[in-house]
Amino acid sequence: MTGGEARPGVVGLVLAAGSGRRMGGPKALARTPSGELLLDRAVRTVRAGGCAQVVVALGAGADEARAQAQTLAQPGTTVVDVPDYGTGMAASLRSGLGAAEGLDPDAVLITLVDLPDVIPDVVTRVIGEGPHDDVLRRAVYDGRPGHPVLLGRMHVTPFVEGLSGDEGGRRSLAGAGCEGVPCADLATGQDVDTPEELGRAR
């Protein structure tokens, strides 16, 4: 697994609270063809890409995820529960960003649990060079905005205030002039929604 050196000021946030209806169960508990939990892969990717501290937002299947995941008990990993995860991604973002802010970061790197082909090099590229407190950028795949997203601490509060339902922060990022970081040479950035899609993941 490649990646970059740890950036102490950048906290990773893995959103893994969804119920995964099309997957047949929470995506945090789904496994890749090699048997790795999607949750473990996401945490390892963010950490290897440069985030020394990682916050994981759990909702559906939270108890099972705590029991099965190998990465949640590691030093530098904070787990936050999202009791209202059923209302949409905004709830996970609010809970996760609140926990991440408590770690006093320069920036928060947000990613999703269901992006198995996003590798540490994508994380490293999106983090880029500092300073990070006023940065606002995200991965772009062949012109399509995707994850991870990097929020400098100056942007966290406006981002949270603009959250609504299952849309996440898409409009807030577009309105704030988020910088796109081309990453199609490293990954597709496609999420997996069904067992069939996960079975084809590399």
Side-chain angles (χ1 to χ4, degrees):
M1 189 177 264
T2 55
E5 64 182 37
R7 304 297 180 88
V10 181
V11 172
L13 170 57
V14 176
L15 302 179
S19 58
R21 288 184 292 274
R22 292 178 62 194
M23 186 65 73
K27 291 182 182 179
L29 300 174
R31 293 185 181 271
T32 68
S34 67
E36 183 181 25
L37 277 182
L38 279 183
L39 177 57
D40 281 332
R41 175 172 290 196
V43 173
R44 290 178 180 128
T45 296
V46 168
R47 192 178 295 284
C51 298
Q53 298 187 86
V54 182
V55 173
V56 179
L58 293 179
D63 290 342
E64 293 92 334
R66 283 184 170 89
Q68 295 183 34
Q70 299 176 4
T71 56
L72 299 186
Q74 293 177 347
T77 304
T78 301
V79 179
V80 59
D81 288 305
V82 185
D84 54 344
Y85 66 88
T87 63
M89 189 185 293
S92 296
L93 282 164
R94 287 193 193 95
S95 296
L97 286 170
E101 279 195 294
L103 300 173
D104 194 27
D106 295 328
V108 181
L109 181 121
I110 304 166
T111 194
L112 310 178
V113 74
D114 58 354
L115 305 174
D117 85 334
V118 170
I119 60 175
D121 285 343
V122 174
V123 173
T124 301
R125 185 178 292 180
V126 172
I127 291 175
E129 298 298 323
H132 292 101
D133 58 336
D134 192 28
V135 72
L136 187 62
R137 64 173 72 109
R138 72 184 308 169
V140 175
Y141 304 92
D142 289 329
R144 177 180 55 84
H147 287 81
V149 173
L150 187 67
L151 288 181
R153 61 182 169 190
M154 295 175 62
H155 294 283
V156 172
T157 297
F159 180 82
V160 171
E161 290 174 348
L163 291 173
S164 150
D166 203 35
E167 185 178 275
R170 186 170 46 206
R171 290 188 186 180
S172 294
L173 291 172
C178 185
E179 173 192 356
V181 180
C183 292
D185 59 315
L186 298 174
T188 68
Q190 291 284 353
D191 60 342
V192 291
D193 288 326
T194 67
E196 291 74 24
E197 290 173 354
L198 181 56
R200 294 193 295 268
R202 51 178 173 154

